[in-house]
Each structure stands twice: as C-alpha cells, then as structure tokens.
Amino acid sequence: LPGGAAAARALGQSGLLPATCRLVDATEALVNRVGDGSACLLLLGFESADHPVDAALARALELCADHGGVADAVRPGSGHRGGTAEVWRSAFVRLPYVRDAVARLGHIVETFETAVTWDRFEELWRAVSERAGAAVAEVCGGGVVTCRITHVYPDGCAPYFTVIARSRHGDQRAQWAQVKAAASEAILGAGGTITHHHAVGRDHRPWYDRQVPPLVAEALAAAKRTLDPAWILNPGVLLDPP
C-alpha cells in the first residue's frame, strides 16, 4: 500500500484535482475480484461539464507511472469503457448486501475510518493493520483486515479499514468491542483522528474524549446550553448532560 499511497499523495499535491482518487489495497482488490492479491488498485477519474479533461488524466497517469503504477486496459468484450474500474464499481455497489448476508451468518463485519497527515500515514497503516489483525486472530480465531484510502488531500488522507472475522455465537458484541478497542488505540497512538467522514458517536466516545481539545468541548457545551437547554438532541453522544 505505501507505493500506491505515494502516487495518491503526488496526485493530491499536483493541483490536478481528480474527481475520484481512491486507493484499494491488494487484499480488498482480491475480495472484489479486481486483482489477484499481488497489487493495489488506484481508481482515478476526472470529470467536467465545461472543458476536456484528457490532458489532466494523461498527466495523472504519468504521476502514477512515476511511482510504479500501470494503467489498466479496457477488457475486451467487457461491455464497459471503464474496464477494471467498472468491475470494482459493480462490486462496491453490491457490497452492502454482501455485508448484511455475512452479518446474518453471525460473523463480524465492521468498518472504521480515520485521517492522518502524509508523513504519518505509513506508520498508522502498519500499526492499525497489525493491531487489528492481531486482535482478530486472538479474539475471533481468524479473519481479514483490509484498507483503502477514500479521500486524498494535499496534506494527508483518510484511510478506511474493513474487518471481516469469524465469531462465537452469542459473543459477537464482546468480540467486536475488543477488536474495535485495539484498532482505536492504534489509531490514536499513531496520530490519526478517531474518525473522519462517518462522524463521531457513542462507539467512538471513549477515544473522542481523549482526543477532543478542551476548548472545542467547552464551545460545544456552550452552544448546547444556548440552543438546546433541555439537552434533547443526542444526549450523551459527545457531551454528558449536566
């Protein structure tokens, strides 16, 4: 993943502003049938209703090639212009249904995301993958931990992890909590945010309390006292009612 992340970083800092720049690790690519598990997949796209984007795409592909990337060719007879990207998109759209089916079998399916600056990305990715993987092996007896980068910025990125693991009947919540705690501790220890685009809430509260600046908590409490004096809205999610 670090090699693909270097390409994503170059794209994020290039000023090209791709509409899509999503890096999928080799295991997740294999799970989604868009790879053989030997390489990451970087989904890259440009769009405009105003002007051609061919030059921007060509330059972006040059940046990817500078970091060892190989442009995907359209699959003959696939019926899609997008080739591998279109196959991945179809798998991604089906993923919630697959997740629900796996959950109904009693297994653990969890996702969690964070954000980190580029200089800390590799350390965070390794720490979270190792700690979550070790917890899955110890608590669940086996499973997989995958990572993709969903958002790319000039100063950093948003790694998004997926856990799929076996479970013991009736003990799923306790197993989930142990894996969640291991991953969250690794995120904080490596300098990442406890969450990114999925927002914060009760599941994240123990780590949010350790990470939120006191001034931010005080400002939010002041706003609550003024706008929601009865503490009706989401009581106890980010702040404890007085």
Side-chain angles (χ1 to χ4, degrees), residues 65-87:
D66 290 342
H67 293 86
V70 178
D72 177 56
V74 176
R75 294 182 178 181
S78 66
H80 299 296
R81 292 185 59 194
T84 297
E86 185 65 27
V87 175

Side-chain angles (χ1 to χ4, degrees), residues 7-8 10-22 42-47 56-57 60 63 152:
L11 289 165
Q13 296 176 348
S14 67
L16 293 170
L17 301 178
T20 298
C21 185
R22 179 180 291 246
L42 179 64
L43 296 132
L44 179 64
F46 290 83
E47 60 184 27
L57 178 58
L63 289 173
V152 172

Side-chain angles (χ1 to χ4, degrees), residues 203-228:
D203 289 347
H204 299 101
R205 180 69 189 273
W207 299 277
Y208 171 81
D209 284 344
R210 289 161 51 187
Q211 193 170 64
V212 64
L215 183 59
V216 172
E218 292 170 11
L220 179 59
K224 288 281 286 184
R225 286 192 294 269
T226 301
L227 302 175
D228 185 19

Side-chain angles (χ1 to χ4, degrees), residues 106-160:
H107 297 314
I108 294 172
V109 183
E110 170 68 315
T111 61
F112 53 93
E113 86 287 4
T114 180
V116 69
T117 53
W118 285 117
D119 60 316
R120 293 184 170 185
F121 163 72
E122 187 170 348
E123 175 189 352
L124 180 141
W125 167 68
R126 293 189 186 281
V128 176
S129 298
E130 291 173 3
R131 291 279 295 276
V136 164
E138 178 182 353
V139 176
C140 304
V144 296
V145 179
T146 68
C147 179
R148 60 180 180 267
I149 292 178
T150 60
H151 297 69
V152 172
Y153 309 106
D155 58 346
C157 62
Y160 186 110

